[in-house]
Amino acid sequence: NKIHTFLEAQDGTLWVGTASGVARFENGRFTPWMAGSDLSVLAIRSVAQDSQGNFWFATWGSGVFKYDGHRLTNFQLGDGLAGNKVSQIMEDQTSNLWFSTETGVSRYDGERFAYLRTEDGLANNNVWLVLERWGLQREYYDLPFQQQLLAQTDYISQSQGIFILRSKPNPCPLP
């Protein structure tokens, strides 16, 4: 099975997102997780655990899933997510979750989604990664660019370059 992503959870368990679901590695072996659920047949692009201990799974076509330890909840375009093809999940310092999608970037504050797209100022809707300050590997960029980038706080990597969010703390206001 093709591995897309992995995460070491707060309890030390390794979670693996694959082309066909999620597996957990514990006690020296991989076991499929949530076999028989919708999640077990989907391509998982990113796995994250938020500061409250919830697990989040980004899928390529079915939005994101949240697992709170008891229940699996799916969020899609109709729930406010920018798009259903999600490539990455990141939690910021204020516990907002950011989702990179093929049609923009979404922010989830724990209750509602808000999103940014080209009409909101993104150069391109195809967003692959959202990082916070110090998240970039500086050695790949020249010094003037590093200094400019690291002086900011939030970054969104796009297929047409890097978009820097300058407004803090809430660059994506909720209605």
Side-chain angles (χ1 to χ4, degrees):
N1 203 350
K2 182 178 179 182
I3 294 173
H4 291 290
T5 187
F6 59 90
L7 166 80
E8 183 178 358
Q10 295 165 2
D11 67 0
T13 304
L14 183 65
W15 292 74
V16 181
T18 73
S20 57
V22 178
R24 291 183 355 160
F25 184 78
E26 51 187 346
N27 301 322
R29 58 185 296 196
F30 284 99
T31 54
W33 185 73
M34 298 290 280
S37 74
D38 291 342
L39 198 59
S40 68
V41 296
L42 297 172
I44 307 301
R45 303 302 293 233
S46 180
V47 179
Q49 186 175 25
D50 66 25
S51 56
Q52 297 179 2
N54 300 308
F55 287 94
W56 293 83
F57 306 95
T59 72
W60 197 248
S62 295
V64 295
F65 286 79
K66 173 186 173 186
Y67 180 66
D68 65 5
H70 305 288
R71 186 176 61 162
L72 191 63
T73 305
N74 182 224
F75 298 98
Q76 295 192 28
L77 187 61
D79 300 304
L81 194 62
N84 288 333
K85 292 182 177 180
V86 183
S87 58
Q88 194 69 28
I89 304 167
M90 188 276 298
E91 183 177 30
D92 68 21
Q93 295 176 22
T94 59
S95 300
N96 291 307
L97 289 166
W98 292 82
F99 303 94
S100 306
T101 80
E102 192 177 54
T103 52
V105 62
S106 293
R107 181 179 58 83
Y108 182 67
D109 70 355
E111 295 180 20
R112 295 182 295 176
F113 284 94
Y115 55 81
L116 293 170
R117 293 189 175 144
T118 53
E119 56 267 24
D120 303 307
L122 288 180
N124 184 303
N125 279 333
N126 195 5
V127 179
W128 287 98
L129 183 62
V130 176
L131 299 170
E132 269 198 301
R133 188 176 188 178
W134 311 114
L136 294 176
Q137 298 177 351
R138 291 178 285 159
E139 63 270 18
Y140 294 119
Y141 305 103
D142 64 0
L143 187 58
F145 182 74
Q146 288 178 35
Q147 291 169 343
Q148 176 190 4
L149 195 58
L150 294 176
Q152 308 304 317
T153 49
D154 293 299
Y155 317 98
I156 299 173
S157 172
Q158 304 180 122
S159 61
Q160 294 182 345
I162 295 175
F163 177 80
I164 301 171
L165 292 177
R166 296 181 190 270
S167 58
K168 272 299 269 181
N170 191 0
C172 201
L174 294 168

